[in-house]
């Protein structure tokens, strides 16, 4: 849009409509904003914006409302994502640092983001495929049966039973586990699987080749089994009470399709085209029928501490060109060249307050990144 005044008019319409959720007229616009032109000129600009597809007029005598194209133009020209206040940042740090486990942290993060935005908050557990191994344990649980317990750098714990035709002795088993940990610590699960298979051909573990192959297969299975049940969601009821339920009804149907949500928000957080590493998809951009009247704002959190496996993560390249960004707290964003391990996001109507939602999503994502960092206490962003 070459006309800079029209750009200002469009921005004013979007801001007023987000605030009032009522069609915006030229008279009200000139009263609320210092546009430096008459109401008639603003009316002509609004008519031109309607012809160009940025605004629409729901009724002949009514004012105009933004279209999906208008919202997209508005979001793309948010030059910066506003910082939350110092009190808000301290509140986030205090709330999240009081958690007792990773699951509790993620559930708290979802509740907190929903409270801040008044919208649906979705937080995914760290991806096993992107996490790195901290330790693996093999525990005998029955005759011919071992329980493989994998602990990752992000705090995720995954378990898998292994059928073992010939149970090794305690000393042999502990020796194998120690070797596996030496080989695999700090590696992604797909790489761990390859290294464990290499142990299977080592002379000293020849008798446990079957166990090594089973453990390697289990690690690959863990990396591939990202389930929708590992989404933490909050805020649906508060969004319902905001009104406009007829338009939001398809949204609530879409929230039930958690696999679809996980794929959408994961891809959006990896691409992170928005300012400050925040991705925004509006209406048809979500490619999800139930979200045609909704917008999704998301950001990745956490950072892989080992290079991602290209074969397992074909989208890793989307993050490879990102630059390091700071939020004033000294904490790097997931866009620092490494892929995020998971995402945090907010889903609401297309007339959501984009600036505020983007700020809240980014702040919560950065606190989760800080909390998952080795030795972090979650207070980096509170300064």
């Amino acid at each position: 849009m070459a006309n800079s005044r029209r750009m200002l008019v469009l921005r004013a319409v979007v801001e007023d409509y987000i605030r009032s959720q009522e069609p915006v007229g030229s008279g009200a616009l000139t009263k609320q904003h210092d546009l430096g032109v008459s109401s008639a000129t603003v009316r002509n600009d609004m008519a031109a914006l309607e012809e160009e597809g940025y605004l629409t007029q729901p009724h002949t005598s009514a004012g105009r409302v933004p279209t999906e194209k208008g919202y997209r133009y508005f979001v793309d020209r948010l030059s910066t994502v506003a910082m939350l206040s110092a009190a808000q940042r301290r509140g986030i740090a205090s709330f999240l640092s009081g958690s007792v486990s990773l699951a509790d942290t993620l559930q708290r993060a979802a509740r907190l983001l929903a409270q801040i935005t008044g919208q649906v908050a979705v937080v995914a557990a760290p991806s096993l495929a992107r996490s790195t191994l901290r330790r693996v344990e093999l525990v005998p649980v029955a005759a011919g049966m071992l329980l493989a317990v994998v602990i990752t750098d992000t705090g995720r714990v995954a378990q898998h039973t292994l059928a073992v035709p010939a149970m090794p002795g305690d000393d042999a088993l502990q020796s194998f586990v120690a070797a596996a940990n030496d080989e695999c610590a700090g590696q992604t699960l797909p790489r761990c699987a390859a290294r464990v298979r290499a142990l299977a051909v080592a002379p000293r573990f020849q008798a446990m080749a079957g166990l090594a192959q089973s453990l390697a297969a289990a690690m690959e299975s863990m990396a591939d089994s990202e389930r929708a049940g590992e989404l933490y969601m909050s805020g649906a009821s508060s969004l319902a009470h905001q009104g406009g339920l007829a338009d939001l009804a398809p949204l609530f149907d879409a929230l039930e399709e958690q696999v679809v949500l996980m794929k959408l928000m994961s891809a959006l957080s990896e691409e992170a085209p928005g300012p400050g590493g925040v991705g925004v998809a509006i209406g048809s951009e979500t490619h999800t029928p139930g979200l045609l009247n909704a917008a999704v704002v998301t950001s990745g959190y956490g950072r892989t501490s080992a290079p991602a496996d290209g074969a397992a993560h074909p989208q890793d390249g989307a993050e490879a060109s990102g630059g390091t960004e700071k939020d004033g707290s000294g904490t790097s964003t997931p866009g620092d060249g490494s892929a995020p391990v998971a995402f945090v996001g907010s889903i609401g109507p297309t007339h959501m307050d984009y600036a505020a939602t983007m700020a809240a999503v980014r702040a919560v994502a950065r606190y989760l990144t800080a909390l998952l960092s080795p030795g972090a206490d979650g207070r980096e962003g509170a300064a």
Side-chain angles (χ1 to χ4, degrees):
M1 190 190 306
N3 191 310
S4 59
R5 189 183 67 238
R6 285 186 193 168
M7 178 187 73
L8 294 176
V9 169
L10 175 59
R11 183 185 184 97
V13 172
V14 174
E15 290 175 346
D16 284 7
Y17 185 69
I18 286 173
R19 183 173 58 253
S20 69
Q21 296 177 35
E22 295 289 340
V24 180
S26 57
L29 210 61
T30 53
K31 290 179 181 178
Q32 295 292 333
H33 301 270
D34 183 16
L35 298 173
V37 293
S38 67
S39 176
T41 300
V42 171
R43 187 161 52 251
N44 290 336
D45 285 340
M46 293 174 73
L49 288 166
E50 183 177 0
E51 289 180 2
E52 294 166 0
Y54 292 97
L55 300 177
T56 186
Q57 193 171 25
H59 306 289
T60 304
S61 60
R64 291 175 173 83
V65 301
T67 62
E68 182 180 304
K69 182 179 179 181
Y71 285 124
R72 170 48 61 189
Y73 187 87
F74 174 79
V75 170
D76 286 347
R77 276 142 187 89
L78 285 174
S79 57
T80 59
V81 178
M83 289 286 291
L84 297 183
S85 69
Q88 286 174 314
R89 298 201 304 273
R90 286 194 298 269
I92 293 174
S94 175
F95 189 69
L96 294 186
S97 62
S99 59
V100 296
S101 66
L102 176 62
D104 186 34
T105 296
L106 301 182
Q107 186 60 66
R108 281 170 174 254
R111 291 201 308 270
L112 179 65
L113 183 58
Q115 290 170 4
I116 294 173
T117 63
Q119 298 166 172
V120 176
V122 181
V123 180
S127 164
L128 283 172
R130 293 193 184 277
S131 301
T132 61
L133 184 79
R134 181 174 294 168
R135 186 165 184 81
V136 61
E137 296 288 351
L138 295 178
V139 183
V141 292
M145 191 73 66
L146 290 172
L147 179 66
V149 181
V150 168
I151 304 170
T152 72
D153 62 328
T154 58
R156 283 285 299 275
V157 178
Q159 301 178 352
H160 201 288
T161 55
L162 308 177
V164 184
M167 184 72 75
D170 288 344
D171 290 344
L173 181 62
Q174 292 307 314
S175 177
F176 174 76
V177 169
N181 279 307
D182 287 343
E183 287 292 320
C184 299
Q187 300 297 317
T188 62
L189 291 185
R191 292 187 175 187
C192 289
R195 295 193 175 198
V196 168
R197 283 200 172 92
L199 289 178
V201 300
R204 61 179 173 143
F205 296 124
Q206 187 174 4
M208 287 185 285
L211 169 58
Q213 293 291 348
S214 295
L215 178 58
M219 288 176 163
E220 289 174 335
S221 176
M222 291 175 184
D224 291 337
S225 63
E226 295 304 317
R227 297 180 296 278
E230 290 159 350
L231 285 180
Y232 296 82
M233 195 175 298
S234 183
S237 60
S238 62
L239 182 62
H241 291 132
Q242 292 183 20
L245 187 58
D247 289 337
L248 293 177
L251 186 155
F252 293 113
D253 291 337
L255 294 179
E256 297 295 323
E257 301 295 330
Q258 294 194 358
V259 172
V260 175
L261 279 183
M262 177 170 276
K263 291 180 179 178
L264 165 65
M265 300 183 81
S266 180
L268 189 61
S269 68
E270 289 171 5
E271 295 167 6
V278 180
V280 180
I282 305 170
S284 64
E285 297 171 353
T286 67
H287 305 292
T288 305
L291 298 178
L292 289 179
N293 293 310
V296 178
V297 178
T298 187
S299 179
Y301 74 83
R303 296 180 297 277
T304 53
S305 54
D309 302 273
H313 313 302
Q315 293 178 319
D316 286 352
E319 289 292 325
S321 60
T324 300
E325 299 185 38
K326 304 286 184 179
D327 67 349
S329 65
T331 303
S332 299
T333 72
D336 63 357
S338 59
V341 298
F343 63 81
V344 54
S346 184
I347 304 173
T350 53
H351 57 258
M352 70 165 62
D353 186 336
Y354 288 95
T357 300
M358 292 166 72
V361 166
R362 185 182 69 169
V364 173
R366 289 179 170 181
Y367 275 102
L368 289 176
T369 296
L371 286 165
L372 291 180
S373 299
D377 60 6
R379 295 177 298 190
E380 287 86 337

